[in-house]
Amino acid sequence: MNSNEIIKLLSECEFDGELYSEVVNEKIFEHLPDDFRYDWNEGASKLVIKPYNEDYVIKIPYNGQYYDSSKKFEPFLSANNSDKYFWDYCMTETLVWRLAKTENIHKAFAKERIIGIINGHPIYIQQKVEVFTDSDAYYLDDEIKRKKTADYCERKGLRTFYEEALTWQADALEYYGPKQFDKIMSFIERNNIGDFHNNNLGYIENRPVFIDFSDFYE
């Protein structure tokens, strides 16, 4: 599907100013065509629809969250990008990718871009990535490789990822090389990008990439 077809696919969904995890079934999934084949997952700030047999995923930002304790919807306020998109964590990722491109390290981030707006709600696509936990690398128990990477990061004063994610970081060091790896790690530190658990890391073919790089500040 091209961008126009994706927007048409979602055109019957309900974008009425309150989109959060608990209502995606009634507002999104129930309005998708019966013959549309997909998988999906979500984070705290966004829904990810993964069409079968495509090289991209559709990202739809949530604009708040519902608290059972107060029975109240609370809008997001701290996505950390612009006055217009202050609530939109997908726009945060898009701007991070653009900034990474200016520093020539964008290959380490799965490309994301806005493709349209439905009733005031922006819609994005991102390169489809093999999530780290679904990859062969996740099951490799190379303690020596992880230790060498941890020692390298400590010497350079770079952030060291935890547990299994250190395997991904070791792959990134090997793939990009020390000079580019240092730039990538310095970039995420300077821009306060974090939350790099296993499901936010992955591979495009054999290239290690960050999948979700908006963090969450609510």
Side-chain angles (χ1 to χ4, degrees):
M1 290 186 291
N2 60 36
S3 296
N4 290 335
E5 290 170 331
I6 295 170
I7 295 300
K8 183 178 180 180
L9 174 81
L10 299 171
S11 62
E12 298 300 319
C13 297
E14 295 181 24
F15 297 103
D16 56 4
E18 292 187 5
L19 185 64
Y20 50 96
S21 179
E22 289 81 357
V23 298
V24 293
N25 189 56
E26 62 189 78
K27 291 190 174 184
I28 304 296
F29 298 142
E30 289 182 1
H31 300 278
L32 297 177
D34 292 338
D35 61 352
F36 176 54
R37 304 288 294 167
Y38 66 95
D39 197 359
W40 68 279
N41 57 28
E42 64 178 344
S45 64
K46 56 187 77 77
L47 171 68
V48 182
I49 298 175
K50 301 183 285 187
Y52 292 169
N53 302 318
E54 300 286 358
D55 62 358
Y56 62 83
V57 300
I58 302 165
K59 282 193 167 184
I60 303 174
Y62 294 151
N63 54 15
Q65 52 195 333
Y66 184 83
Y67 291 94
D68 287 333
S69 58
S70 61
K71 305 298 181 184
K72 186 178 179 182
F73 172 81
E74 295 287 351
F76 292 153
L77 301 172
S78 306
N80 195 30
N81 46 64
S82 68
D83 291 340
K84 182 178 180 181
Y85 292 97
F86 61 89
W87 59 272
D88 181 354
Y89 283 87
C90 288
M91 177 57 74
T92 300
E93 289 178 326
T94 299
L95 296 177
V96 167
W97 187 89
R98 292 175 185 173
L99 182 59
K101 194 172 191 301
T102 67
E103 300 191 24
N104 198 31
I105 55 171
H106 55 290
K107 291 295 186 181
F109 299 83
K111 184 178 181 180
E112 185 168 344
R113 63 184 178 90
I114 188 170
I115 60 166
I117 296 175
I118 303 175
N119 195 26
H121 203 99
I123 307 298
Y124 299 79
I125 61 172
Q126 186 182 46
Q127 290 174 287
K128 185 175 284 185
V129 177
E130 181 182 33
V131 177
F132 176 56
T133 50
D134 294 332
S135 70
D136 292 339
Y138 178 72
Y139 298 97
L140 296 177
D141 187 21
D142 194 337
E143 184 64 32
I144 295 175
K145 186 176 179 179
R146 289 199 297 268
K147 187 178 187 309
K148 286 175 65 175
T149 303
D151 291 344
Y152 177 88
C153 290
E154 184 176 354
R155 288 197 310 272
K156 291 296 192 81
L158 302 172
R159 183 188 308 183
T160 303
F161 292 177
Y162 68 93
E163 297 178 356
E164 298 98 336
L166 185 55
T167 296
W168 179 94
Q169 195 176 25
D171 288 342
L173 175 57
E174 182 177 6
Y175 182 89
Y176 294 106
K179 184 177 180 179
Q180 194 77 342
F181 176 84
D182 292 358
K183 285 181 64 176
I184 294 165
M185 292 299 118
S186 176
F187 177 86
I188 65 174
E189 199 67 34
R190 283 186 284 109
N191 290 282
N192 299 312
I193 304 169
D195 195 28
F196 293 133
H197 57 73
N198 293 341
N199 291 324
N200 286 348
L201 305 168
Y203 302 86
I204 297 176
E205 295 182 347
N206 65 331
R207 170 164 54 98
V209 294
F210 299 109
I211 303 172
D212 187 319
F213 36 92
S214 63
D215 222 322
F216 188 65
Y217 301 103
E218 307 300 328

